[in-house]
Each structure stands twice: as structure tokens, then as C-alpha cells.
Amino acid sequence: MIRGLSVVTRDLKKSYPMGTGEVAVLKGISLEIRPGELVALTGESGAGKSTLLHILGTVDRSSGGTVLVGNENLEDRPEHVRASFRNRSVGFVFQFHHLLPEFTALENVLVPSWIQGGPENRAQERARSLLERMGLGHRLMHRPSELSGGEQQRVAIARALLQEPGLVLADEPTGNLDTHTSLEVFSLLKELNREEGMTVVLATHNTHLADLADRVIHLKDGLVGPNGTGTEDSVPAEET
Ligand SMILES: Nc1ncnc2c1ncn2[C@@H]1O[C@H](COP(=O)(O)OP(=O)(O)OP(=O)(O)O)[C@@H](O)[C@H]1O
Ligand SMILES: [Mg+2]
């Protein structure tokens, strides 16, 4: 089992400079995600879902408030500390998988291990087993152009999980897939979440998928909660 990381934010704010002023995107987000939880992040386009994921994943910095990932506050740490945390502990899955076209499925999954180093045999073994787990054991040597959209997205999930991250951040990972394939890809992610125990935060517009998460966190007007009250009042779904 992977040790899933908890995620806690308190009064988290993010503004972007705009002309002479600034635009407030996150206006005080307070939330708590338990280790191993699979949370769907919903909200209209522009609500700040990607912005929040980027801050949680240390890709971007907040403008105020507190962020704790695995009880660590990385907001004020220098960039190299954040980058090392990110490489070690965070796996990203994006809407457009960003696979490298000239590499095979297996090589694409191995990319994080090339960047971070570590024993090659172990990475090879894990990459193969993840791809098999994703139903792609027969596609290891295919390049992205030789894979369907759903298959490419499954490769991207395997890549995100290679280094056994405690936190997986998925930004519309099924956004460009058909309904059936979306459900299939989501279900595989959920199965891996159950088997391996990493925490997953998944931004989605798909309400059917959101309903299958342990919990939904809804963003509205820069705040959390269905009414944008700033408090998260949704409750965990019953265990299935
Ligand atoms: N670098 C930036 N500079 C200025 N404004 C930005 C920047 N990045 C995002 N924004 C603004 O922040 C708001 C939230 O954007 P974000 O991408 O987080 O929304 P989202 O909820 O992910 O939307 P979508 O569902 O369309 O992906 C938007 O209004 C956007 O214009
Ligand atoms: Mg977005």
C-alpha cells in the first residue's frame, strides 16, 4: 500500500495580476481531504479547479492562507524543495495526456523514473505491471499515435502512478473521451486508488463520475460548498 497524503487548506487565496489591479480566483478555500480518499472537484468553467490543483501540486503558489500536503507546508519553501516534493510525491494526469509521441507506451510510463533516477529494473517492472493493470499489456511497444484516446489516457494514468505518489491530481482526465471510455478510465483509477491507497483529487465536469467519488467538493465563486459559503458541507458517500 502507498501511504496516501492528507490535504488541508485553510482560507486559501489566489489572485492573478490583471492590468493595474488583480482578479481573485480563490477567495478563501478551507477543506480537508483524508489520506486515500478519492475526491471529485466540480464547479463551472472558470471556478478555479485547475488553479486549486496547481497549488496543491506545488506547480503554483497561493496568494494567502495555508496549504498542507501530508502535514507539510511547502508554500514558503524554495523552488528546489517544492520540485523535489512534487517529483517524489505527486502524480499529475491532464485532460490531454501529454504523452511523448516518439516514445512507446512503456517508455512514456517510465519518463518520471528517468527524470528522478532510481533503480531501473524496479521502474521497468512497475511500469509493465501498471500497464497490464490498465489492460494494456498487449500495447507496451505502441506509440501514442497507435493507441486510442482511452488507451493513451490509461498510459498517462500509469505514468502518474509510476513513482508511487501519495497524491494524484487529475485535471479533467476523461474530458476528451466518450461516455463509456470515461467511465472505464475513471473506474480503473478508482480501482488503483482502492488497491494502492494514494489520495486522488480529480477535477471534472462529469456529474456521473463525480457521483462515483468518495466525496464531491464543489467550487463556486472562488469558495467551497454548493452555495459558495466557504465551508465544505458535503459529506462522504457511503462505502460501497
Ligand atoms: N495565469 C492567469 N492569469 C490570470 N487569470 C488566470 C490565470 N490562470 C487562470 N486565470 C483565471 O482564473 C479563473 C479560474 O481558472 P481555472 O483554470 O482554475 O478554472 P477551471 O475551474 O479549471 O475551469 P475549466 O473547467 O474551464 O477548466 C479563470 O477565470 C481564469 O481566467
Ligand atoms: Mg480547468
Side-chain angles (χ1 to χ4, degrees):
M1 282 292 271
I2 295 169
R3 203 164 56 85
L5 295 174
S6 61
V7 176
V8 176
T9 74
R10 293 192 202 103
D11 202 26
L12 172 63
K13 297 191 169 111
K14 178 68 182 177
S15 321
Y16 292 104
M18 209 24 107
T20 52
E22 55 179 30
V23 48
V25 177
L26 304 180
K27 300 176 184 166
I29 303 278
S30 298
L31 53 81
E32 273 191 55
I33 299 171
R34 291 188 299 274
E37 221 181 343
L38 189 160
V39 168
L41 188 60
T42 61
E44 284 174 10
S45 179
K49 302 181 294 299
S50 298
T51 303
L52 179 57
L53 289 183
H54 292 158
I55 294 171
L56 297 183
T58 73
V59 175
D60 201 357
R61 286 177 200 266
S62 72
S63 317
T66 310
V67 186
L68 299 172
V69 178
N71 296 323
E72 259 191 275
N73 185 343
L74 291 150
E75 280 296 292
D76 303 325
R77 308 301 300 281
E79 194 43 45
H80 73 272
V81 175
R82 288 162 59 83
S84 125
F85 170 83
R86 188 185 315 138
N87 292 335
R88 197 177 60 243
S89 303
V90 186
F92 289 97
V93 189
F94 300 99
Q95 173 170 3
F96 300 102
H97 41 73
H98 300 307
L99 298 179
L100 301 170
E102 65 274 31
F103 290 107
T104 66
L106 184 61
E107 289 166 337
N108 266 286
V109 174
L110 283 166
V111 165
S113 74
W114 298 343
I115 294 167
Q116 223 207 332
E120 201 178 315
N121 292 348
R122 183 143 183 267
Q124 278 271 354
E125 211 173 287
R126 171 132 173 105
R128 281 173 190 274
S129 110
L130 279 169
L131 283 167
E132 271 161 27
R133 188 69 198 66
M134 303 301 275
L136 293 174
H138 59 313
R139 292 282 185 271
L140 299 181
M141 299 304 158
H142 284 234
R143 290 176 207 287
S145 61
E146 298 158 351
L147 296 169
S148 74
E151 287 172 341
Q152 292 177 43
Q153 205 53 299
R154 283 184 272 159
V155 173
I157 292 174
R159 179 183 55 187
L161 294 174
L162 182 77
Q163 306 286 74
E164 310 192 1
L167 176 63
V168 169
L169 301 172
D171 199 351
E172 290 279 357
T174 63
N176 62 341
L177 303 177
D178 63 67
T179 313
H180 174 78
T181 313
S182 295
L183 183 62
E184 201 172 76
V185 168
F186 177 87
S187 303
L188 279 165
L189 185 58
K190 185 167 167 174
E191 275 174 36
L192 281 161
N193 158 259
R194 291 296 184 265
E195 282 169 26
E196 303 215 323
M198 74 285 193
T199 308
V200 180
V201 186
L202 177 142
T204 184
H205 286 280
N206 185 327
T207 50
H208 298 293
L209 296 190
D211 286 343
L212 297 172
D214 296 329
R215 189 153 56 103
V216 177
I217 293 179
H218 188 74
L219 292 188
K220 190 174 193 299
D221 299 331
L223 294 168
V224 152
N227 306 310
T229 51
T231 50
E232 188 206 332
D233 47 8
S234 50
V235 291
E238 276 177 38
E239 289 298 320
T240 46

